[in-house]
Amino acid sequence: MLRLARYNRWAFQVKYPTKAPSLLFSFSTSAAESAPPIRVGLTESSGRGVFASRRIGTGDLIHTAQPIISHPSLSSLYTVCYFCLQKLPINSGVLQNVSFCSKRCEEKSKGLKYPLLVKRLACQVISGVVTPDVLDILQPEILTSEKVSLMKKDFALLRRNLEDSSIESDQMAFVTEGWYTAVLARIRINAFRIEYPGGSYEDLLSLAAASVEAEAAVGNAVYMLPSLYNHDCDPNANIFWTENVDAQIKARRDIEQGEELRICYIDASMDYEARQNILYEGFGFRCNCLRCESKD
């Protein structure tokens, strides 16, 4: 379908606000943990963004994030945990059935069996794990009539799958065409491709936001806070995975209080023309970050 997920949030202009950003909401943790040094506010040109609430040093772990929803790619279906995407032992002996790395993951899976994130989300809603509007806060893709038509075909397939599973009609009353297209429009531009869990930090400097259908990765996941980070071809933060689907955000350099935190959506090692083409074709915007302005 698409090589990369479409991204239609806002045009990007990498210039930090000259005045303090409007605070949308902040994050806190339990008393036993220190609060992450970030806040979410409005940028001058890119809509919502994530800002440092205090100075952050190079290499500091800014925060971790568990996914709202995740799913292994079909190529990794029998080699990683069906819930957390952690690699399974080579001698696990799993050939025909999905498996879990622990009883905890098996219990939390709630019988989720659909191969696409939107179908897994529907199962989570039916199981009472999340509400139907859990993704509403995320920015959706602007859909063309052609894309909506294609989505309607997938919606019909989902309805048949649910009906064939003998799920009560009142349990899946929320599964309408409107709900399906709205959820998929958000998943398509907010899903992260989980690359090489267990790799080193240096091996995972670049980030690609992938379409749900991407099979080159271990899996895909949608997060709340990481989805609010804006793009920069010379980012000051990186997102990476070490063991499972839980994401970690680390600072690439010193970040001052009030500075916006940005990650790179693509392979930052590509040249200017390649980056611009992929960002435009795959995400729907031309990047105007400082690196791109210099055509580096």
Side-chain angles (χ1 to χ4, degrees), residues 24-188:
L24 294 183
F25 51 93
S26 58
F27 296 83
S28 62
T29 57
S30 65
E33 302 175 356
S34 59
I38 55 175
R39 60 182 180 179
V40 176
L42 294 176
T43 68
E44 290 187 338
S45 59
S46 302
R48 291 175 300 192
V50 180
F51 297 84
S53 59
R54 61 170 172 78
R55 189 177 185 279
I56 303 171
T58 302
D60 284 356
L61 177 63
I62 300 170
H63 69 89
T64 61
Q66 293 184 335
I68 301 172
I69 186 171
S70 62
H71 200 286
S73 63
L74 296 182
S75 61
S76 300
L77 199 58
Y78 308 119
T79 60
V80 300
C81 175
Y82 194 57
F83 186 77
C84 76
L85 308 190
Q86 180 171 312
K87 289 183 179 179
L88 296 172
I90 297 178
N91 60 352
S92 61
V94 178
L95 295 176
Q96 300 298 327
N97 298 306
V98 298
S99 190
F100 304 90
C101 67
S102 66
K103 283 291 184 182
R104 178 176 176 272
C105 281
E106 185 173 4
E107 291 170 358
K108 290 181 68 175
S109 71
K110 298 288 185 180
L112 309 176
K113 60 182 179 180
Y114 296 105
L116 299 179
L117 289 173
V118 66
K119 296 180 179 180
R120 168 163 277 194
L121 180 61
C123 292
Q124 285 185 316
V125 174
I126 291 170
S127 301
V129 178
V130 298
T131 59
D133 61 354
V134 65
L135 298 185
D136 284 1
I137 192 174
L138 301 181
Q139 179 70 17
E141 175 184 9
I142 299 174
L143 301 173
T144 64
S145 57
E146 180 181 0
K147 290 177 184 175
V148 171
S149 297
L150 292 174
M151 288 180 179
K152 287 181 178 180
K153 295 179 181 179
D154 290 336
F155 165 74
L157 179 60
L158 171 61
R159 287 288 302 194
R160 285 197 297 271
N161 285 335
L162 295 177
E163 291 166 357
D164 291 344
S165 299
S166 300
I167 297 173
E168 297 293 333
S169 58
D170 60 334
Q171 288 183 286
M172 57 180 184
F174 70 92
V175 186
T176 62
E177 283 188 359
W179 177 85
Y180 184 88
T181 55
V183 165
L184 194 54
R186 285 166 170 80
I187 287 177
R188 280 166 58 87

